Amino acid sequence: MTDAARFVVHARWVIPVEPAGRVLHHHAVVVEDGRIVAVLPDAAAREQFADWPQVERPYHALIPGLVNAHTHAAMTLLRGLADDLPLMPWLQQHIWPAEQRFVGREFVRDGTALAIAEMLRAGITCFADMYFFGEDTAEAAAAAGMRAVVGLIAIDFPTAYATDADDYLRRGLALRDAWRGHPLIRTAFAPHAPYTVSDAPLKHIAVLAEELDLPVHIHLHETAHEVTESESRHGVRPLERLAGLGLLTPHLVGVHATQLLPGEIASLAAAGASIVHCPESNMKLASGTCPLPALLAAGVNVAIGSDGAASNNDLDVLGELKTAGLLAKLATGDAAVAPAPLLLRMATLGGAKAFGLDDDIGSLVPGKAADLVAVDLSAPHCQPVHDPISQLIYAAGRDAVSDVWVAGRQLLKDRQLATLDLDTILARAADWGARIAAADHSDA
């Protein structure tokens, strides 16, 4: 286990992400006190750092930790509940009733622990979450040694977490203060969606985001119904409404974005806003297709997200990248669109940039945090390796992830979790599953 303050990881391929598309053959990443101090050829690393612990990964690609830029982590406990339904019946008849009945601190702790176990085994080292009881999400992530951007949730209606928009913001700001300065935990405002948050709290969030320099993580243009409802209620489309409230800024992180007009894409680019693409959730709920090629062509920063396991049904960023690439090719009729290096950037530097973390994570550059993932490309389905970046996206899959480090601490070694009690997590998940299923069936 490489919990030492200094060590060297040798890999067949090192893929730094910066500059784009570069592949370093037979290289090593040198780590000291949780940060990358050098990326250099094997022979030079062995000579210069001969007395440091050496980690050998001779059949592996070493990449930056993946960033899952949109999750509802605790909703792993609702995985598979009421599948194959449209968004609003799924939410209104199944998900929201289950949340009203079960969501509390224990639910969030257990569901988030399950999500973290799944994500670490998939090479995800940072996740941006939007859910209730963010205090418990932060505690679960910090205890596991994982990086997280915890959402300061805001919504108009009461839940077990808060009574109204002002109460959500009060609790959110207290959460932000409690975790301020933590090396692994950041926060972002997380108003749920334009259709669930009214003008006054959105205006307040816009002011606070500027004052505190925090991202604003929000579902945006997720469905055609959302857009037509906004036009009916407010006289404008959701993005135009957010712009009028002061939210169309570099802090904006809009999620889904399946219903965008060319002018709206141009506005996002001009504002320096980011979009989180969640292709598999969008497809499963038949919400629409995010115009990825047009966003990229306009210069919009695009990240990748899994969404919650209740609507996906997994937290697998490598899988999302493959789907995103294939969907973009199909939608445009252009097989050259969204090449593999660009997709990998979305899941690393793109996610980091969306949440203001790109100075610290997202690429293998000296000075950045040592968030590293080793992916084993020795299996038959990955051979031969003509292009390791393409193999990562189109062939390897999350099961090929063998090792994960966050800030130099090894959280996964030879596919075994180092900081989590997986047996206990699975037992708790099974108990929750039985209780939730029984309640859902009784309501049917």
Side-chain angles (χ1 to χ4, degrees):
M1 195 68 61
T2 49
D3 284 336
R6 51 175 59 176
F7 60 93
V8 183
V9 185
H10 300 267
R12 173 63 181 83
W13 304 275
V14 172
I15 302 170
V17 173
E18 289 185 288
R22 174 172 289 183
V23 176
L24 303 173
H25 297 259
H26 301 291
H27 268 59
V29 175
V30 182
V31 177
E32 183 174 24
D33 295 330
R35 307 200 80 80
I36 299 169
V37 297
V39 179
L40 69 173
D42 270 342
R46 296 185 195 280
E47 179 180 351
Q48 294 179 37
F49 303 95
D51 57 343
W52 290 26
Q54 310 287 313
V55 180
E56 307 291 343
R57 293 295 179 264
Y59 307 108
H60 298 63
L62 194 66
I63 64 173
L66 301 173
V67 178
N68 190 344
H70 181 62
T71 66
H72 310 287
M75 292 182 79
T76 51
L77 298 179
L78 302 176
R79 190 195 319 263
L81 182 69
D83 274 350
D84 302 323
L85 292 175
L87 176 62
M88 296 318 294
W90 174 75
L91 282 173
Q92 294 171 351
Q93 298 169 28
H94 298 275
I95 298 302
W96 286 345
E99 289 180 323
Q100 289 166 6
R101 180 171 293 178
F102 292 108
V103 171
R105 297 192 63 182
E106 185 182 17
F107 178 98
V108 171
R109 284 196 302 268
D110 291 344
T112 301
L114 180 63
I116 289 171
E118 179 179 357
M119 287 192 283
L120 287 175
R121 286 161 56 113
I124 297 163
T125 57
C126 179
F127 66 104
D129 203 54
M130 177 192 286
Y131 209 61
F132 310 105
F133 297 95
E135 300 87 346
D136 294 277
T137 303
E139 288 177 9
M146 190 175 189
R147 208 176 292 278
V149 181
V150 178
L152 312 180
I153 189 74
I155 199 165
D156 280 348
F157 51 80
T159 64
Y161 182 61
T163 57
D164 58 23
D166 288 340
D167 193 23
Y168 286 103
L169 286 175
R170 178 187 62 78
R171 293 198 61 160
L173 291 171
L175 189 163
R176 180 244 179 199
D177 290 342
W179 289 91
R180 189 177 181 185
H182 191 280
L184 297 177
I185 306 300
R186 301 288 185 92
T187 55
F189 288 108
H192 172 260
Y195 60 88
T196 54
V197 187
S198 50
D199 284 2
L202 287 174
K203 283 183 180 178
H204 192 189
I205 288 169
V207 172
L208 289 171
E210 291 299 318
E211 290 179 352
L212 302 176
D213 192 23
L214 290 185
V216 179
H217 181 188
I218 184 170
H219 297 102
L220 182 64
H221 286 226
E222 182 174 1
T223 65
H225 174 75
E226 174 194 336
V227 174
T228 57
E229 182 186 57
S230 178
E231 290 173 324
S232 175
R233 289 178 57 191
H234 303 287
V236 293
R237 291 162 63 88
L239 184 61
E240 184 177 351
R241 176 170 165 241
L242 294 189
L245 297 171
L247 285 163
L248 184 53
T249 73
H251 291 115
L252 182 66
V253 183
V255 183
H256 296 296
T258 70
Q259 313 289 320
L260 289 176
L261 301 174
E264 292 168 334
I265 294 173
S267 295
L268 289 165
S274 294
I275 290 295
V276 182
H277 185 20
C278 302
E280 293 184 3
S281 176
N282 293 341
M283 293 167 69
K284 185 164 185 283
L285 293 172
S287 298
T289 303
C290 175
L292 175 63
L295 287 164
L296 295 172
V300 176
N301 179 61
V302 180
I304 199 83
S306 65
D307 207 353
S311 64
N312 188 309
N313 296 33
D314 56 29
L315 309 177
D316 178 5
V317 163
L318 285 176
E320 295 291 333
L321 292 180
K322 180 176 181 177
T323 300
L326 298 179
L327 185 61
K329 297 172 191 300
L330 178 65
T332 61
D334 180 0
V337 79
L342 186 150
L343 294 169
L344 183 60
R345 185 193 185 283
M346 286 166 48
T348 51
L349 206 55
K353 182 177 180 181
F355 291 95
L357 298 172
D358 49 317
D359 285 342
D360 202 41
I361 64 170
S363 57
L364 303 184
V365 174
K368 286 196 174 186
D371 290 12
L372 315 173
V373 172
V375 185
D376 186 351
L377 298 183
S378 66
H381 66 275
C382 293
Q383 294 294 313
V385 182
H386 295 296
D387 181 338
I389 303 180
S390 288
Q391 295 300 73
L392 285 171
I393 304 301
Y394 297 118
R398 63 177 172 176
D399 290 344
V401 172
S402 63
D403 302 87
V404 170
W405 294 263
V406 174
R409 183 184 183 191
Q410 192 162 19
L411 307 186
L412 186 76
K413 183 177 186 293
D414 294 330
R415 299 182 174 85
Q416 299 300 309
L417 293 163
T419 59
L420 295 170
D421 181 346
L422 187 57
D423 289 341
T424 298
I425 289 170
L426 294 176
R428 296 291 296 153
D431 178 63
W432 279 109
R435 291 161 59 190
I436 293 165
D440 188 64
H441 293 154
S442 70
D443 291 340

